[in-house]
Every structure is written in structure tokens, then in C-alpha cells.
Amino acid sequence: MASPVTPTPVLKDELDIVIPTIRNLDFLEMWRPFFQPYHLIIVQDGDPSKVIKVPHGFDYELYNRNDINRILGPKASCISFKDSACRCFGYMVSKKKYIFTIDDDCFVAKDPSGKDINALEQHIKNLLTPSTPFFFNTLYDPYREGTDFVRGYPFSLREGVPTAVSHGLWLNIPDYDAPTQLVKPLERNTRFVDAVLTVPKGTLFPMCGMNLAFDRELIGPAMYFGLMGDGQPIGRYDDMWAGWCMKVICDHLGLGVKTGLPYIWHSKASNPFVNLRKEYKGIYWQEELIPFFQAASLPKECTTVQSCYKELSKQVKAKLGKVDDYFNNLADAMLTWIEAWDELNPSAQLPNGK
């Protein structure tokens, strides 16, 4: 009797999983049924002489700080050190169309029926179906099975737009800032909301990088996680900075961003006192950052992600440089990032990254 044919995993040859880490990747064992068919890019942070152990049977490449310096040369200055923002180096060296990135303290969550959630599969569904940023559908994602556009939804907008980013959520430890952690140390997220929403055009959101997927060809160059960690006055704003830049550019280019499913199980809370030290300047600065991004406008001549990002870096220098000199350095690093991206991805400079 012939053995049953195992279906080929979706996008097996078109997606890389990027993981930043400072420790052995034992957490991959629980993800093995879902991740093993895919290629992993591991970005080792911290001491490059430390040996990171990866469970047997995974197809991976591992880069440490020495590798980053060797590959990027002087441009390696744009990649953060001693901060999970280093993950964006993996986005740059990938040769695949899609990226899924996950933190090493994120475990497999269960849905309300007790079934393991294949987070990667849901991200792929989100990315392969359109988004609806121009008009809100009250039944959320109209492309999911068992739902549709509601009465009154304009037919001219029902084709939607390409989805650039899929932002997943977390059960157990919520992604709170340090002051909220300190006030609610025992709070856990137990609410499983079975919904995927398109973030509307003109609306910003706090993007979390621990359970995130994106179309690298559509939006990759905008997914720079900034200057954080060692030698920088701020941390824990890497993913949010990328999210604000990305959203302004997606809105300009007519691309979509989804948030909601899939959930992962966030296993451990980081130290709120350490977090406060990393965040406290950001907590002040974001009161200037958010109005800046809300007002940011890109000229119609900007038709590529790269040209949009370069224009945004100019505006960062002109308008945020006076908030703190850090933003002058960040604006320069944004340009360095784009130069490094284009060197490693010479064919990715066409309109909308196509």
C-alpha cells in the first residue's frame, strides 16, 4: 500500500524565518512540525565567540557580529548591537520573497479548542489575500472563509490591495511598556480574538516584531529596525520605528497591513526596570514622533520603497533632529541601511519593489 503523500508546505522555497537570539534555540523543538520545512536565518546578537546550538534537522544559516562586519564593512554601523533590532540584518541577506520573524521566547499557542496554532500558516494566508485599507469592513477580513463584504461596501474597492505586512499577536505575556508592566505585573492576555483586521489608511499602530511576517519584495527596505541597544540612548522602539516608517510608506504606495491572528504564546516577561531604562527617553520622544509620522507626506515622485525611505530620512533629520541629536544619527543610519540593502539586493530597485 502506497504511503500517503505529504503535502508540500506553502511557500516552502519562498519564505525565510528570521530569529534574533543570544541563546541556544531549544524553543525550535516545539515549532518543528511547522518550521522544519523552511530555511532559517539566525542572527546571533552579543558575543560572537559564543556557540549557539540549533536542534538537529533544521536548515539554517547563522550570522554573528563578525559576519555582519565582514559582509557590510563600514555600513555595519547601521545594524544594532546587543538588541533584537539586529534581526533586520536577516531581512537584508535573505533572498526570499517573504519573511517571518519570531522571538526565541515565543512558543506555540493553542486555540480555544486546544489545537496547536500554526502561526506561520496563518501569516501566509494573511499575506496571500488582499487588504482593505480604504474602507472598513465590519465583518473584519472579508477574504476569510465564511465571511464577505457587508452591505454598503463599495464594489469598486472589493478587490483590495496587496498585503505587505501581517502583524500577529500574543497570548500570556502582553507586549506592554515598562510603566504598564510595573502597574500590572500579574496581568496576562487570555483573550483569543478570532479576527484579522486591515489597519486603515492614515492610522498608525505600535508594531511588535516578535510575531511578524511581511512581503520582502513589496516592503522589505522599509523594515529597518533602527539604532538601538549598545551605544544608543534608547531601546525597545526598534520594531515600532520600523512600523511607523513602514505604515507611512504603505499608505503612500497603496499597500495593506493586517493585524490580529495568528497568536503565539509569549512565555516570559522581560524585566520592567531594565525596560524602563531602555524606554524612558522614547516615552517622552514618542509624543513628538507620532505627530511627525501622522503629518508625514511623501511626494508622488517617490514610487519605490527605497525612494520613499530616503525622503522619510530627510524629513526625520529636518524635523526630529531638533528633538535630539540621536535622530540626526538615525536619519544617517536610515540612508546607510538603504545603501547596504541595494548593494546586497541589486535587482530590487524597481517601483513598489517588484
Side-chain angles (χ1 to χ4, degrees):
M1 181 176 151
S3 57
V5 177
T6 307
T8 305
V10 181
L11 303 181
K12 179 173 109 53
D13 300 316
E14 296 180 74
L15 183 142
D16 278 334
I17 300 173
V18 174
I19 305 167
T21 194
I22 56 170
R23 58 180 66 85
N24 293 336
L25 293 180
D26 303 331
F27 92 114
L28 284 173
E29 280 299 348
M30 73 174 64
W31 286 103
R32 188 182 289 277
F34 305 133
F35 288 3
Q36 189 160 357
Y38 295 88
H39 180 68
L40 312 182
I41 297 178
I42 299 159
V43 184
Q44 178 180 344
D45 197 19
D47 180 3
S49 66
K50 182 179 174 184
V51 176
I52 298 284
K53 291 180 181 161
V54 181
H56 177 72
F58 285 92
D59 170 35
Y60 71 94
E61 51 194 303
L62 187 149
Y63 297 93
N64 62 31
R65 192 70 203 185
N66 296 339
D67 300 313
I68 294 171
N69 292 338
R70 173 176 52 79
I71 291 165
L72 295 184
K75 293 187 177 70
S77 62
C78 73
I79 304 296
S80 299
F81 182 55
K82 294 190 177 173
D83 193 282
S84 66
C86 67
R87 78 177 78 225
C88 63
F89 177 76
Y91 310 162
M92 186 188 276
V93 294
S94 170
K95 299 298 175 221
K96 305 286 175 62
K97 178 171 166 57
Y98 299 99
I99 296 285
F100 170 52
T101 185
I102 186 169
D103 284 7
D104 59 16
D105 62 351
C106 293
F107 299 167
V108 177
K110 292 187 185 295
D111 68 17
S113 74
K115 185 182 170 197
D116 284 352
I117 296 168
N118 183 347
L120 181 51
E121 181 181 56
Q122 179 65 48
H123 275 300
I124 290 168
K125 284 179 182 173
N126 293 350
L127 289 171
L128 294 184
T129 52
S131 294
T132 53
F134 305 124
F135 202 87
F136 188 80
N137 190 51
T138 51
L139 276 181
Y140 311 125
D141 187 349
Y143 305 102
R144 279 185 77 183
E145 200 174 322
T147 187
D148 212 316
F149 293 97
V150 297
R151 182 171 55 88
Y153 202 100
F155 281 85
S156 58
L157 294 176
R158 293 190 182 195
E159 278 187 20
V161 301
T163 301
V165 174
S166 169
H167 176 256
L169 297 174
W170 350 269
L171 292 170
N172 196 36
I173 307 291
D175 188 27
Y176 285 162
D177 53 38
T180 310
Q181 278 184 296
L182 287 164
V183 173
K184 296 176 154 185
L186 301 179
E187 186 152 291
R188 299 294 180 263
N189 182 34
T190 58
R191 291 177 52 211
F192 180 96
V193 180
D194 186 12
V196 178
L197 288 74
T198 294
V199 182
K201 183 178 182 182
T203 299
L204 296 171
F205 73 106
M207 186 174 83
C208 171
M210 71 171 110
N211 173 24
L212 181 71
F214 60 93
D215 185 323
R216 191 175 166 278
E217 290 181 7
L218 280 182
I219 200 63
M223 299 297 278
Y224 174 48
F225 276 42
L227 290 176
M228 303 282 150
D230 200 44
Q232 303 301 335
I234 186 175
R236 283 173 58 83
Y237 274 82
D238 50 336
D239 41 10
M240 289 183 287
W241 178 264
W244 297 327
C245 293
M246 170 278 293
K247 188 59 167 61
V248 168
I249 292 171
C250 280
D251 286 353
H252 175 74
L253 294 177
L255 300 170
V257 179
K258 292 179 181 176
T259 185
L261 302 179
Y263 283 93
I264 52 83
W265 179 268
H266 187 206
S267 65
K268 66 175 191 289
S270 44
N271 185 314
F273 297 100
V274 173
N275 289 348
L276 187 60
R277 200 163 64 238
K278 292 177 180 179
E279 287 174 0
Y280 78 95
K281 287 193 174 180
I283 290 168
Y284 285 110
W285 288 346
Q286 73 184 28
E287 300 307 321
E288 309 242 14
L289 296 182
I290 301 307
F292 163 77
F293 283 108
Q294 285 173 328
S297 175
L298 299 170
K300 63 178 184 299
E301 296 77 47
C302 290
T303 57
T304 67
V305 175
Q306 281 92 330
S307 60
C308 289
Y309 204 73
K310 288 176 188 173
E311 172 61 29
L312 205 49
S313 80
K314 277 189 222 165
Q315 295 182 26
V316 167
K317 184 163 271 198
K319 295 181 179 170
L320 295 178
K322 56 181 178 282
V323 173
D324 192 276
D325 196 43
Y326 166 76
F327 291 102
N328 290 318
N329 298 331
L330 179 52
D332 290 339
M334 290 167 73
L335 292 177
T336 303
W337 160 264
I338 291 295
E339 289 168 13
W341 183 283
D342 285 345
E343 277 180 22
L344 290 178
N345 302 278
S347 62
Q349 298 177 53
L350 299 171
N352 286 358
K354 288 179 185 168

